[in-house]
Amino acid sequence: MTRIQRRLLIDTSVIGIMLTLFVALLDSTSRVLQPLDDWFYDRRARLCQFFTPSPTDKLVHVDIDDASLDAVGKWPWPRAWIAEMIDEIDRAGAKAIATDIIFDKPSEPRYVKLASGKFDEVEDDARFADALRRSGKCLVPVAFSVYETPAPLYRKLRDYLLANLELDETACAKRLADDPEHLLPVGSRFPIDTFIAARREAMSMRIRKELEQADVPSDALRKRLLPRTDPDITDSPLLRLLGEEHRRALAIAQLRRLMLPIPSGLGPLVQFDREQVPILPFAQAAALSGYVNYLQTGESGTIRALPLFAEYHGQLFPQTDLVLACAVLGADMRSVRLYSDRVVIPKARGGRDIVIPVRNVYSPQVGRKAGMFMDVPDRGQRDWETIYDANHRNPALHISIGAVWDVHTVRQRIAKNNVSIDKAISFILDDDNEVKLRLDPAKGKAYAAHRPASEDTDARLKIVEWTRHELEESGILDLTKQSDDALKDHPEQIVQRDELIVANRALSTLLDQNKSLEDQLARRRAELKEKISGRAALIGYAATGGIDAYPTAIHPSCPGVVIHGLTFNAIMTGELWRHAPKWVVILITILLGLAVTAANGFLRPSWSLLVAIALGVIYLLVNGLLLFDYANICVAVAGPIVALGSVWSTGALAAFLIESTERARITRRFSSYVDQKLVDYVIEHPDVELDGQVREMSVIFTDLAGFTSLSEQLRERSVGILSEYLGLMVPIIRRHDGFLNKFMGDGIMCFFNAPSDDPEHAVHAVQAALEMQQAAKTFAVTMARQGLPGLSMRCGVSSGNMVVGDSGPADYQDYTVLGDCVNFASRLEGANKSTGTNVLISQRTSELLGDKFLLRPVGRLQVVGKSEGVMAYEPLALLDDATPEDRLLCAASAEMLAAYLARDFQRCIKVADQMDQQFGPGKLAALYRRHGQECLANPPGADFAGYLVLTEK
């Protein structure tokens, strides 16, 4: 393990462990990660529902929906109508009936017009109370407001009023002005709204205290609480407040029979203060009650859990859904066992107990954690109407209350027909009006005295048949055939005729109509019975735009009654969400954090990222599908995922900073001594061994001709010129991926294809050589402008197998190349002096170039130190950039070389002369001319190989 790796392992381990422990501590002791955990909670509920079992068959939602509003009319409906719907639901066999509606105010007076033309007041509240009492299984809910610590000003006003309820705002304002606490600054307006609220609470508290002692009649209560109020005054705001709060207190007293004592060891509970209760007749008639409040369990207002019990003035009040479930299960609420972490419903008839997990949950409305919260196991997709359908297409377990209203409508039509029948019988038989026919007054009065119920058609059958028979026998029906002209002298008979026509039609047709309506009524009641019998009927508002709607984990807006249904369904099916202990989440957080810490320490950042992603995906799948969906266990997600992500990111950042620091350190140490390319390579491959290895490479040697003489002339000034020249050459070498090996006075040695691989090393070497030549020519022009002698550069390029690596003693090594090919490049650089060329490349280099360059054949050069000649070329330009003159020069050189190799020395000399004439005198043509003339003078033997022997290095 290298020093960098050891440092990475230690540093990332320390950072990862510390960060993991910090996230675990943060998640377990604060709410910082709670919004993220809520987000994961909602996504998990929405996406992981593959093992959701079938819903309970003990529930039906009776929805006040758009269709029912169209059929019945605008909400609110008269309570007498709701009473009839309650009757029908009860008749259909509902095991329990619950409404999600708070009937906390008396009905406004309502009147109906009688047949006599008079108006009769409808006892809406009495009828509704009677329906509740008749059913004996109706749950009438309560709504509470969460207890809040009152403001000092409010508390002070309430204390004044508790001592004297008859204080008005002027008296309270004076007391505040004299109060040493100065709660009302001088010049401030008296807070009349605060005064009204404080007076209402003070009135409620005083009444409740009085009623705790014994039942106190209204008059006596008035004398005790308002002793100075004139007894002759019958109406005032204070008296109305007394009446309202007294009725409210009596209603609460009725509901206290349904409350429970608070057992010890439950921990903190939600505390409710103000209440919204049903009016007294409904509280008296209700068989069951529970509160319907929802409390926010997140900053977004989403309903994810609800408290099954809350504290109300020292007693426990149960939640509606729990009460309804107990009613359907046949369990007495007082037999329910309460613990800090569970609620146990004893199952009737020897079944297993139902254990409901509860926990402490923070609620923004309460401002703290409170206990007895049950998670609401949300179901379905975004459409709440199809929650209970396996395919989420049909509104299962939902019926419109309009279907119940249809039964009522049919009953009303039957009753209306029977009223018409009764009117017809009275018209024909009675004598209580001079227009009536008086066929049998005694029988008519007897019928009127024992008139059947308005919906009892069968009880009217005999008298209708007898009346019709008597009509036919009496001949009175002949009156219906008389015209107005025939009866013009007896106007009372015209009235009788018209009434007789109506009465005869009623007796003839309405019985048959009723028979058809009764068949229709029976069918509709049978349909209701099939859907309701043996089930809890949950009535609530579900119409579009309902204000009683809340966001849930799955549904952006869900009617409150549907959330009640979800809770009831979870209790009945036992499909309850349980939360893993906090220590389990802490353990998972630590394990995931340590796993990513290890990955950061031993793997590269890209691989550790893959490990982190894999761990995160696996945890989310196991958490969502196995634990949550299959086992109904909720394990927090935010802490482990945040630990995983933060540990990886900080580890990767630390690795980057450590490597960057190490890179900078190595760069600072070696960049002045060795090529930056080698520095970068060692940093990227810290374990690389730079021992010698054999590989095919290209090497360049350069020399600046004329610089030695120039340096003797300029002395110390020559250093600046050389630095300027080398500053032009080095970037060119690096730009073409070359490795700058060393400076040799005014010469440069560089090579290609090491330390990093470069398959195009020969091409890059030649490109660098040509570009260096061009830069050298520009530099020479600059020198000439300064009045300095011109300089030229020569290059030798050789390719082939050579040894590359560190060489030298242990205390001083040089990364360089060795081998015959390296020496040959140096000889080629020197050969340029004899051939008059600028760049010479070896045979192997030309082979590696392919056809990318225009190469001028120079000849088989036998350089110093070589016993054989090697073919050399001069690269003139890239093939695409070559000029016509370059191509002509190349062709002439090739012809001259070919003639020389073919021993056609005359031809060789001739071509050399032509080249001098066409391109100007050149050393290469002179060299071939001289060798050709020598061969003509002394013809070579059979072993002639066409070498050009060079004697200068």
Side-chain angles (χ1 to χ4, degrees), residues 708-728:
T708 301
S709 300
L710 180 64
S711 62
E712 292 175 354
Q713 176 182 347
L714 299 178
R715 296 182 182 275
E716 65 275 4
R717 287 179 56 197
S718 61
V719 175
I721 294 174
L722 180 60
S723 297
E724 183 180 355
Y725 161 74
L726 295 176
L728 293 174

Side-chain angles (χ1 to χ4, degrees), residues 563-883:
I563 301 175
H564 289 307
L566 288 168
T567 308
F568 177 88
N569 173 77
I571 295 173
M572 296 298 293
T573 59
E575 288 295 317
L576 299 156
W577 292 352
R578 299 164 176 81
H579 280 258
K582 204 67 180 178
W583 66 265
V584 172
V585 181
I586 294 174
L587 179 61
I588 294 173
T589 302
I590 292 174
L591 290 177
L592 287 179
L594 293 181
V596 179
T597 298
N600 282 338
F602 290 101
L603 302 175
R604 296 179 64 83
S606 57
W607 283 103
S608 63
L609 174 61
L610 293 177
V611 170
I613 292 173
L615 288 174
V617 170
I618 291 171
Y619 178 65
L620 291 176
L621 290 176
V622 170
N623 186 297
L625 298 179
L626 182 61
L627 297 177
F628 174 76
D629 193 18
Y630 185 76
N632 287 340
I633 299 175
C634 297
V635 183
V637 176
I641 292 299
V642 168
L644 190 149
S646 59
V647 168
W648 176 83
S649 58
T650 53
L653 178 62
F656 171 77
L657 293 176
I658 291 170
E659 289 183 350
S660 298
T661 303
E662 194 67 17
R663 178 187 290 270
R665 186 185 68 82
I666 295 174
T667 300
R668 286 194 303 270
R669 183 175 180 182
F670 294 108
S671 59
S672 299
Y673 301 96
V674 298
D675 192 287
Q676 182 66 39
K677 185 176 181 181
L678 181 60
V679 177
D680 294 339
Y681 184 80
V682 172
I683 291 173
E684 292 173 4
H685 306 81
D687 295 329
V688 68
E689 297 292 339
L690 298 180
D691 296 338
Q693 58 175 303
V694 177
R695 63 164 65 184
E696 185 173 49
M697 301 172 59
S698 295
V699 62
I700 296 178
F701 278 84
T702 71
D703 184 64
L704 192 59
F707 185 75
T708 301
S709 300
L710 180 64
S711 62
E712 292 175 354
Q713 176 182 347
L714 299 178
R715 296 182 182 275
E716 65 275 4
R717 287 179 56 197
S718 61
V719 175
I721 294 174
L722 180 60
S723 297
E724 183 180 355
Y725 161 74
L726 295 176
L728 293 174
M729 300 298 113
V730 171
I732 296 174
I733 295 169
R734 290 176 173 168
R735 188 161 54 245
H736 292 284
D737 206 23
F739 180 86
L740 181 62
N741 188 201
K742 59 175 66 76
F743 297 128
M744 300 171 293
D746 58 354
I748 300 172
M749 175 185 174
C750 60
F751 51 81
F752 299 76
N753 198 28
S756 56
D757 293 336
D758 181 10
E760 297 288 313
H761 57 88
V763 173
H764 293 156
V766 173
Q767 286 177 333
L770 292 177
E771 191 171 338
M772 290 164 69
Q773 274 293 334
Q774 187 61 43
K777 292 178 181 178
T778 304
F779 180 71
V781 172
T782 303
M783 294 278 291
R785 289 174 181 170
Q786 297 177 16
L788 298 174
L791 299 173
S792 63
M793 188 187 75
R794 298 187 298 264
C795 289
V797 182
S798 174
S799 300
N801 289 333
M802 51 192 81
V803 178
V804 61
D806 288 338
S807 83
D811 58 347
Y812 185 82
Q813 292 189 335
D814 182 25
Y815 185 74
T816 188
V817 287
L818 303 171
D820 188 58
C821 289
V822 179
N823 296 329
F824 186 58
S826 175
R827 299 294 185 264
L828 286 177
E829 178 273 315
N832 284 291
K833 291 186 287 185
S834 300
T835 58
T837 53
N838 295 317
V839 180
L840 284 177
I841 67 175
S842 69
Q843 174 71 33
R844 180 55 183 165
T845 303
S846 70
E847 293 171 356
L848 294 174
L849 295 179
D851 56 357
K852 295 181 180 179
F853 293 87
L854 181 65
L855 301 179
R856 176 190 180 192
V858 173
R860 298 178 179 177
L861 303 181
Q862 183 178 341
V863 297
V864 176
K866 287 286 186 179
S867 59
E868 295 184 355
V870 179
M871 188 65 192
Y873 297 87
E874 179 186 20
L876 299 180
L878 286 169
L879 193 62
D880 294 338
D881 297 337
T883 64

Side-chain angles (χ1 to χ4, degrees), residues 437 521 828:
L437 299 181
L521 179 63
L828 286 177

